[in-house]
Amino acid sequence: EHAGGGWNDPPRQDGLDTIYILSDGYPNAGVQDRAEVFERVVQAARYKMVSIHTVSLGPKKGSGQDMLMKISDATGGTHVTR
């Protein structure tokens, strides 16, 4: 909503344009399939013109970190591992 209302509403001039995610990259509520999470997040971010920067916490390598890296790459953000 902060990026411009509902899913189909155009982005707002005063809306957010950057999101930071701190996560281990493993979904634990709602949609559990990482491929579906990736597609939904990237589709919404592209439509709303939002960059997503990710910080992965936990294991250095794995599919959770890989998903976060893909999200930041696909939306023009950056990724770091801590």
Side-chain angles (χ1 to χ4, degrees):
E1 187 172 312
H2 295 289
W7 179 259
N8 295 321
D9 296 334
R12 295 182 354 197
Q13 288 291 346
D14 64 343
L16 63 87
D17 62 0
T18 305
I19 295 173
Y20 291 87
I21 297 175
L22 274 57
S23 175
D24 63 1
Y26 293 98
N28 59 9
V31 176
Q32 299 289 309
D33 179 48
R34 286 188 296 276
E36 185 176 349
V37 170
F38 170 79
E39 289 299 325
R40 287 184 180 195
V41 168
V42 170
Q43 184 179 23
R46 284 182 179 159
Y47 181 73
K48 296 296 186 175
M49 295 182 282
V50 173
S51 296
I52 300 177
H53 302 281
T54 58
V55 178
S56 58
L57 307 169
K60 298 291 183 197
K61 290 289 180 191
S63 56
Q65 179 183 352
D66 294 344
M67 182 184 70
L68 293 172
M69 290 171 62
K70 286 173 50 179
I71 288 172
S72 61
D73 288 346
T75 62
T78 57
H79 174 80
V80 297
T81 301
R82 295 287 180 233

